[in-house]
Amino acid sequence: MIMEKNYKRQYRECPVEVRKKISDKMKGKKKSDMTKQKISIGMKDYWKGVPSMSGTDFTTTGRIV
């Protein structure tokens, strides 16, 4: 039996460690204003379809309480 791995995000929340790794990887990369605008629009559309975890309170500090 072959089990497929699901690499897509299941919830909006992301652990602080993962956010830090992503941030570190993206530092120093330059993007044009047009690219930033396209990314912004695309991410807004993407996040509309990703639900929040039910039963948890995700604070602005990035910790699940």
Side-chain angles (χ1 to χ4, degrees):
M1 178 200 285
I2 298 175
M3 297 189 70
E4 295 183 29
K5 292 184 179 181
N6 187 2
Y7 291 105
K8 289 191 176 187
R9 292 185 60 166
Q10 299 296 311
Y11 303 103
R12 289 177 181 250
E13 293 77 11
C14 183
V16 175
E17 301 84 29
V18 174
R19 289 194 328 229
K20 180 162 178 24
K21 286 171 77 174
I22 293 169
S23 174
D24 291 344
K25 197 71 164 171
M26 297 303 291
K27 282 189 170 66
K29 294 186 178 183
K30 304 287 183 185
K31 294 179 181 64
S32 69
D33 290 335
M34 181 61 83
T35 301
K36 291 177 188 178
Q37 186 178 10
K38 288 179 180 179
I39 291 170
S40 175
I41 292 168
M43 292 307 290
K44 287 175 187 174
D45 290 342
Y46 171 76
W47 284 112
K48 286 179 186 175
V50 180
S52 292
M53 280 193 272
S54 60
T56 59
D57 178 25
F58 193 74
T59 65
T60 56
T61 60
R63 294 186 209 120
I64 298 176
V65 183

